[in-house]
Amino acid sequence: MFSSTRCAFLSNSGLGGCSSLCDAAQKKRSTRLRVVSMTPSSSSSSRSGDRNGSVVMETPLKELKKESTVADVDDNAISAGGPQDVYGEDRATEDHFVTPWSVSVASGYTLLRDPHFNKGLAFTEDERDAHYLRGLLPPSVIPQETQVKKMIQHVRQYQVPLQKYMAMMDLQERNERLFYKLLIDHVEELLPVVYTPTVGEACQKYGSIFMHPQGLYISLKEKGKIREVLRNWPEKNIQVIVVTDGERILGLGDLGCQGMGIPVGKLSLYTALGGVRPSACLPITIDVGTNNEKLLNDELYIGLKQRRATGQEYAELMHEFMTAVKQTYGEKVLIQFEDFANHNAFNLLEKYRSTHLVFNDDIQGTASVVLAGLVASLKLVGGNLADHRFLFLGAGEAGTGIAELIALETSKQTNAPLEEVRKNIWLVDSKGLIVSSRKDSLQHFKKPWAHEHEPVKNLLDAVNKIKPTVLIGTSGQGRTFTKEVIEAMASINKRPIILSLSNPTSQSECTAEEAYKWSQGRAIFASGSPFPPVEYEGKVFVPGQANNAYIFPGFGLGLIMSGTIRVHDDLLLAASEALAAQVSQENFDKGLIYPPFTNIRKISAHIAANVAAKAYELGLATRLPQPKDLVKFAESCMYTPAYRSYR
Ligand SMILES: O=C([O-])CC(=O)C(=O)O
Ligand SMILES: [Mg+2]
């Protein structure tokens, strides 16, 4: 066995203002970062492999003597003082860091093909000399800003959203920093491309557009070997995992293994909107089969061609996964459950919330973002939460999750028992209004909402009977807020609040235009997927986007930067409060109950700070001492995609 060490020479920090606490952490980290094991690593199992598209090199020893090099250390050094240091401090055993293959330096041709380090034409003259790039690039040196201009034109030339999506994925695979710079600089324009709604279509067609494998696939074939699979992932300091089993992708149903687009998309938002460094993010799809007949009969389907495993077989695989994650990455890695079907989503959250740092975005993230919008909307409609009556269409993860968080906040505000305040919240499912006479046949998560009332068969009747001030769609069923339903809301309320949350756009309960038109311009409207502004009777209405993308990136950052070990409901309330506080008078004047995404990094820093502050207050945060200014600290932790200089 032999090894050698190389240094990463990075001069562009792009970050400043770290506290002394960070400096200490930085010193500790930099020692570790300077070491890059060359080859072979711990055992005879050393091999060549594919590392995010670039072949791991078997570098000859004499090559290693060269002084200048770009080593495989990602962003760690530049964001020293950030969350990764928190993570690095409490690693349980060094065993976590043994990789089964050799890690090598990148230079020349390989450097251009490594998305983590590639800068394309932005490599300077000196860098071209030092890193064997002469002749491999045309002579022009073009700065990152100009590359961004070129790329946005490139993406704009495509008319079809899926083509824009593919152009963005292609860029991510080629030049990661340019991808994030582009996404951050044009966030409003590109969010619908890399995320809802286009990501839904991408998942549906994943088999045919699939070019580079992204993320980690864990199928039933890997049962008993999940720790080994995790070790195959090239990055070791993982801080956030987004995992799906693909059974309920957005409102599109069971897309099996092709659901991978969702963890990939969510994690690119963790980086772009929340500043978590890309190498700390791990997208995972658990493949236990699919019940989607179309996919089972599709020769291009990329997943296991069998029907879904359920019961004990499913539970055992998930348990092995949850255990392996904790063993491999320690207990402060955040596991975000995404787009599981109702039956598994609630059970998994319940089972692991006291042993792991877990968060279900569809239940908790959506709840937090909607609560923020409702709190903000009170400025427009007046009253407190307790003065309002809520009616939901859809009683799954999102519906019951939102309902519970509204009840929790109302109960805190009024000191009334939870059971009492729940009575102001009503849910309609596919069988009609949820009422006490249906209690015996209801799934457990619906039971708290079975209030005393005569049976009501449909939404329109429920609106007329319950007379809600707020109507929330979480049904996954498009166009279910009909003209009659919205007109009924408008006849009951001066300013009806209508939230059409199902994704993607095709599943939205109504469009923005319908909401404004059918309420004669009086609705306060927001939707899960974005809608363009609407002109109605000479006035322009700008709909808000009530999407969990406002919450999870900042929420996750807050947990990571404070070393929080469990998610408590009060942390979700803290996130809502911070988001609602970011809505400005100017936004309200336009009828908006969410701030625009253009300021999302600032918003995320405030959410992270409020979440961390609450975690410290509850004794859940382990990073001590608590930083004095948590907003500044959050900002200092954020990844910036500016190119680094290589010496
Ligand atoms: O992905 C989104 O846009 C929101 C979400 O979590 C879902 O609809 O499942
Ligand atoms: Mg989701």
Coordinates of all heavy atoms in Angstrom, one line a residue, residues 195 248 250 262 266 337-339 361-362 366 548, ligand 2:
Y195 N -37.2 22.5 -11.5 CA -38.0 22.1 -10.4 C -39.5 22.0 -10.9 O -39.7 21.9 -12.1 CB -37.8 23.1 -9.2 CG -38.5 22.8 -7.9 CD1 -38.2 21.6 -7.2 CD2 -39.4 23.7 -7.4 CE1 -38.8 21.4 -6.0 CE2 -40.0 23.4 -6.2 CZ -39.7 22.3 -5.5 OH -40.3 22.0 -4.3
R248 N -45.3 8.4 -5.0 CA -46.2 9.5 -5.2 C -45.4 10.7 -5.6 O -45.2 11.6 -4.8 CB -47.0 9.7 -3.9 CG -48.2 10.6 -4.0 CD -48.2 11.8 -3.1 NE -47.2 12.8 -3.6 CZ -46.8 13.9 -3.0 NH1 -47.1 14.1 -1.7 NH2 -45.9 14.7 -3.5
L250 N -45.0 14.1 -7.0 CA -45.8 15.2 -7.1 C -47.3 14.7 -7.1 O -47.6 13.8 -6.3 CB -45.5 16.1 -8.3 CG -44.1 16.5 -8.5 CD1 -43.8 17.1 -9.8 CD2 -43.6 17.4 -7.4
I262 N -36.8 13.9 -8.6 CA -37.2 14.8 -7.5 C -36.1 15.0 -6.4 O -35.8 16.1 -6.1 CB -38.5 14.1 -6.8 CG1 -39.6 14.2 -7.8 CG2 -38.8 14.8 -5.5 CD1 -40.2 15.6 -8.1
K266 N -34.6 18.7 -5.8 CA -34.7 19.3 -4.4 C -33.3 19.6 -3.9 O -33.1 20.7 -3.3 CB -35.4 18.3 -3.4 CG -36.8 18.0 -3.7 CD -37.8 18.9 -3.0 CE -39.2 18.7 -3.5 NZ -40.2 19.6 -2.9
F337 N -37.5 13.0 3.7 CA -38.4 12.1 2.9 C -39.2 12.9 1.9 O -39.8 13.9 2.3 CB -39.4 11.4 3.9 CG -38.7 10.5 4.9 CD1 -38.9 10.7 6.2 CD2 -38.0 9.4 4.5 CE1 -38.3 9.8 7.2 CE2 -37.4 8.5 5.4 CZ -37.6 8.7 6.7
E338 N -39.3 12.4 0.7 CA -39.9 13.2 -0.3 C -40.8 12.2 -1.2 O -40.3 11.2 -1.7 CB -38.9 13.8 -1.2 CG -39.4 14.9 -2.1 CD -39.8 16.2 -1.4 OE1 -39.1 16.7 -0.6 OE2 -41.0 16.6 -1.7
D339 N -42.0 12.6 -1.4 CA -42.9 11.9 -2.3 C -43.1 10.4 -2.1 O -43.1 9.6 -3.0 CB -42.5 12.3 -3.8 CG -42.7 13.8 -4.1 OD1 -43.1 14.5 -3.1 OD2 -42.6 14.2 -5.2
D361 N -40.9 16.5 3.8 CA -41.2 17.8 3.1 C -42.6 17.9 2.7 O -43.2 19.0 2.8 CB -40.3 17.8 1.8 CG -40.2 19.2 1.2 OD1 -40.3 20.2 1.9 OD2 -40.1 19.2 0.0
D362 N -43.3 16.9 2.4 CA -44.7 16.9 1.9 C -45.6 17.1 3.1 O -46.6 17.8 2.9 CB -45.0 15.7 1.1 CG -44.1 15.5 0.0 OD1 -44.0 16.3 -0.9 OD2 -43.3 14.5 0.0
T366 N -44.4 21.5 3.5 CA -45.6 22.2 2.9 C -46.4 22.9 4.0 O -46.9 24.0 3.8 CB -46.4 21.1 2.1 OG1 -45.6 20.4 1.2 CG2 -47.6 21.7 1.4
N548 N -43.1 24.3 -1.0 CA -42.1 24.1 0.1 C -40.7 24.5 -0.2 O -39.8 24.5 0.7 CB -42.3 22.6 0.6 CG -42.3 21.6 -0.5 OD1 -41.6 21.8 -1.6 ND2 -43.0 20.5 -0.3
Ligands
MG2 MG -42.9 16.5 -2.6

